Amino acid sequence: MFVISFLRIISILLAIVGVSYIIPIITALCYGEYSVILPFVIPMFASFVFLVAMNLPFRKQKINLKTKTAFITVAGSWIFASLFGALPLYFSGAIPSFTDACFESVSGFSTTGSTILSEIESLPRSINMWRCETHWLGGMGIVTLTVAILPLLGVGGFQLIKAETTGPEKGKVTARITTTAKILWLIYFAFTITEMFLLKIAGMDWCDALMHSLSTLGTGGFSSRNSSIGSYNSAAIDIIISVFMFLAGINFSLFYYIIIGKIADVKTNSEFKAYIGIVLIFSILIAFFIMPVYHNFGTSMRYSVFQVLAIITTSGYSTADFLTWPATAQFLLFILFFIGGCSGSTGGGVKVIRWVILFKQLNNETKRMLHPHGVFTVRLNGRVGRKDIVFNVAAFMVMYIILIAITTLCGCFAKLDLFSAFTGAITMVGNVGPGFGQLGPSSNFGFLPGFLKWIYCFAMLAGRLELYTMIIFFMPSYWKK
């Protein structure tokens, strides 16, 4: 029965999130934040009780999911995880409004990084640790983690990962989906530990180093500082975080190919080459335009590269208020809001591969006008791509624009100016973090009315799950037998 299978998976997922409370609990013990411990401990034990209640009576039944039910399961998993993740924020008193706590939790799990908080440094360190950890859990995917840990999902595991992972093409790195999930999470974990040690060497304390490593690899952007990474004023920290933002924006499957020696597959990867090109071109151009602000090219490149990577990977960090930069530099950053990271990365947005496909098709259509009888195909990674992939991308882009338009309209109803409402919609659907205007990098989302925060929660989850997983329920065809 689907309902039982659904509740079993939800109970497993909430138990995994409950186990992850151990890190903020240890942080609270280390810093003497004893009043914050119970708001973590009580939901954690409640999740274990729910896990036993839902799985012990049905332990002999195998969980099987079809494609149709996988969408409900994944969407439900993210909604329940976000609500569950909001409980410590709310019960601790760190965020006294449940709406605000949910917004912060959804922003964390979806790796958007937009916050309702104006005073972050006054929060208990354990609460900040949890905020950053939600990025890490949501970055690689909480359902992917569930599949990696629990092979009992069996065949249904691939359907779940397909509904959660990013990009127009979904596939397995290895023959078994559980093995694939484990490998990707191990690579993810190794990068996180490496960055933590490097940030410690660069001058952060252990707690901040762990927080920012979790946030960076999840391409989220939550920080323990009011002024984000800019508060450290350290070139070494900027460079380390820039490197790991860049890595987090790459398809993690490529790292596995490097490990097993398939270097040729990396070199011929169309998306990877485009990603490197975009980062280089935009970094150099923006550095040139902000030269009057920083007075030398080296410093300009430091700030330019960091902000380019923060936007294209949707990490959302900042080392400077880019709204004070020249309009040309701001415009180039604005373009990056529409691009996003690579498919299979922890980054959000449209994804580089979709733009690669659209531009290749544009080139084909141009050649077809010149040679009406010619046969032209989209080639990806040196091979002919699927014929239907262009239609897949076109449909996604239409849906993406519609959702941005609707979210912008809702922002206008909330009395945001048009530009702020528009960039707010882009940053929510694209999981970018900061916007422009009233929602710029030096502002927060706390002043927004409650109804818009809930709409933004939906937009963030829809963007993280590549639209279809959340929006498909509004389509009549989904409910037909």
Side-chain angles (χ1 to χ4, degrees):
M1 188 177 179
F2 168 67
V3 174
I4 298 299
S5 296
F6 174 80
L7 291 175
R8 287 181 69 189
I9 292 173
I10 295 298
S11 69
I12 293 165
L13 183 138
L14 293 184
I16 291 172
V17 176
V19 169
S20 69
Y21 285 165
I22 291 173
I23 294 177
I25 288 171
I26 292 173
T27 305
L29 289 170
C30 291
Y31 288 91
E33 298 167 351
Y34 303 115
S35 63
V36 185
I37 294 176
L38 276 181
F40 283 104
V41 170
I42 293 173
M44 180 172 69
F45 278 103
S47 70
F48 296 158
V49 172
F50 184 44
L51 173 69
V52 172
M54 290 310 307
N55 286 276
L56 192 60
F58 308 101
R59 62 186 180 278
K60 294 183 179 180
Q61 295 181 19
K62 188 175 181 180
I63 297 176
N64 286 309
L65 294 173
K66 298 178 181 178
T67 301
K68 191 172 184 178
T69 52
F71 284 107
I72 296 178
T73 304
V74 170
S77 297
W78 280 79
I79 292 169
F80 277 99
S82 298
L83 292 172
F84 188 67
L87 297 181
L89 303 176
Y90 178 64
F91 289 132
S92 66
I95 302 178
S97 163
F98 186 67
T99 294
D100 286 350
C102 286
F103 181 93
E104 199 76 7
S105 181
V106 171
S107 182
F109 278 109
S110 66
T111 73
T112 304
S114 301
T115 181
I116 51 87
L117 297 165
S118 57
E119 184 51 53
I120 296 170
E121 292 175 24
S122 63
L123 290 175
R125 303 206 90 186
S126 51
I127 292 296
N128 272 327
M129 180 65 76
W130 174 239
R131 292 172 65 245
C132 295
E133 193 180 356
T134 58
H135 281 331
W136 194 78
L137 292 170
M140 185 59 70
I142 48 179
V143 174
T144 306
L145 178 58
T146 306
V147 173
I149 294 174
L150 295 162
L152 64 90
L153 293 176
V155 178
F158 185 52
Q159 299 299 338
L160 289 174
I161 288 183
K162 279 179 67 179
E164 182 184 64
T165 50
T166 59
E169 293 189 293
K170 327 277 187 179
K172 303 176 184 179
V173 176
T174 61
R176 290 177 58 83
I177 193 64
T178 53
T179 305
T180 298
K182 288 175 185 176
I183 288 170
L184 297 181
W185 267 95
L186 284 171
I187 294 170
Y188 191 50
F189 180 78
F191 278 155
T192 305
I193 296 300
T194 303
E195 184 185 1
M196 180 182 70
F197 277 100
L198 291 175
L199 289 176
K200 171 59 180 172
I201 293 169
M204 287 188 181
D205 62 40
W206 282 113
C207 190
D208 274 3
L210 177 56
M211 285 185 206
H212 288 94
S213 298
L214 295 171
S215 191
T216 302
L217 266 299
T219 60
F222 279 159
S223 173
S224 57
R225 299 296 184 95
N226 292 334
S227 301
S228 190
I229 307 304
S231 65
Y232 294 98
N233 194 27
S234 166
I237 288 174
D238 289 358
I239 291 169
I240 291 167
I241 291 180
S242 294
V243 168
F244 282 93
M245 283 194 292
F246 176 77
L247 293 175
I250 297 172
N251 189 328
F252 272 68
S253 300
L254 298 186
F255 298 124
Y256 176 69
Y257 292 148
I258 292 171
I259 292 171
I260 62 175
K262 289 187 175 181
I263 307 299
D265 287 353
V266 179
K267 289 181 179 179
T268 58
N269 188 272
S270 303
E271 183 180 37
F272 180 56
K273 291 187 288 186
Y275 174 66
I276 293 175
I278 292 167
V279 170
L280 284 175
I281 292 169
F282 276 76
S283 295
I284 293 170
L285 287 174
I286 291 174
F288 174 78
F289 288 122
I290 63 175
M291 276 276 286
V293 179
Y294 298 105
H295 308 299
N296 72 77
F297 189 72
T299 305
S300 298
M301 274 297 289
R302 167 187 158 189
Y303 285 98
S304 174
V305 168
F306 188 96
Q307 208 58 63
V308 165
L309 287 168
I311 299 299
I312 193 172
T313 64
T314 70
S315 296
Y317 281 137
S318 64
T319 50
D321 185 355
F322 55 75
L323 296 186
T324 63
W325 288 359
T328 45
Q330 290 186 47
F331 176 72
L332 290 172
L333 287 177
F334 182 67
I335 293 174
L336 294 175
F337 273 63
F338 293 91
I339 297 177
C342 297
S343 60
S345 72
T346 61
V350 172
K351 302 294 182 297
V352 174
I353 187 61
R354 289 193 173 95
W355 289 110
V356 170
I357 291 168
L358 287 177
F359 275 98
K360 283 180 176 288
Q361 183 62 21
L362 175 64
N363 182 52
N364 285 345
E365 293 302 323
T366 303
K367 290 191 290 187
R368 189 171 286 111
M369 291 178 68
L370 297 173
H371 308 283
H373 302 293
V375 178
F376 307 102
T377 58
V378 172
R379 296 182 65 84
L380 296 172
N381 309 329
R383 299 184 295 271
V384 176
R386 291 193 343 251
K387 292 182 179 180
D388 63 333
I389 197 166
V390 176
F391 302 111
N392 179 298
V393 172
F396 175 89
M397 294 300 293
V398 170
M399 192 178 295
Y400 197 85
I401 292 168
I402 290 172
L403 183 57
I404 286 176
I406 293 172
T407 310
T408 301
L409 180 62
C410 293
C412 292
F413 279 130
K415 299 184 179 178
L416 288 174
D417 64 81
L418 178 59
F419 187 57
S420 296
F422 178 55
T423 58
I426 295 170
T427 197
M428 291 294 104
V429 179
N431 306 132
V432 179
F436 281 80
Q438 294 170 266
L439 304 174
S442 60
S443 307
N444 63 73
F445 291 67
F447 70 93
L448 298 174
F451 83 89
L452 185 60
K453 289 173 183 173
W454 286 111
I455 291 169
Y456 276 0
C457 284
F458 175 83
M460 286 188 281
L461 288 176
R464 172 59 183 84
L465 297 176
E466 299 272 80
L467 306 188
Y468 290 104
T469 303
M470 293 295 289
I471 293 175
I472 198 170
F473 307 115
F474 296 95
M475 298 179 178
S477 56
Y478 178 81
W479 300 103
K480 293 180 181 178
K481 292 184 179 181

